[in-house]
Amino acid sequence: MARRLRMLGTNSKTGECPTLYEDEETGEILVQGYTVTDPDVLAQMANPLKG
């Protein structure tokens, strides 16, 4: 079954910025955004996923 997402917000004026969503069933927060590749930034993140 597909997730039912509710958009929580974005600051995009053109549709190209990161956006936050909530899974309406589980309450999980999903982030649509840019891929982080900078090693200094990744080192500051708690649990970055390797894709």
Side-chain angles (χ1 to χ4, degrees):
M1 183 174 179
R3 289 181 183 236
R4 290 178 36 102
L5 301 179
R6 178 174 67 97
M7 188 175 87
L8 298 176
T10 184
N11 63 355
S12 178
K13 304 285 190 266
T14 62
E16 297 177 1
C17 293
T19 305
L20 294 175
Y21 298 91
E22 177 185 22
D23 182 312
E24 292 183 341
E25 185 175 320
T26 67
E28 291 177 306
I29 302 298
L30 291 88
V31 179
Q32 171 204 343
Y34 305 111
T35 301
V36 177
T37 59
D38 183 314
D40 293 330
V41 174
L42 288 169
Q44 297 177 62
M45 299 173 80
N47 296 304
L49 295 176
K50 308 280 192 264

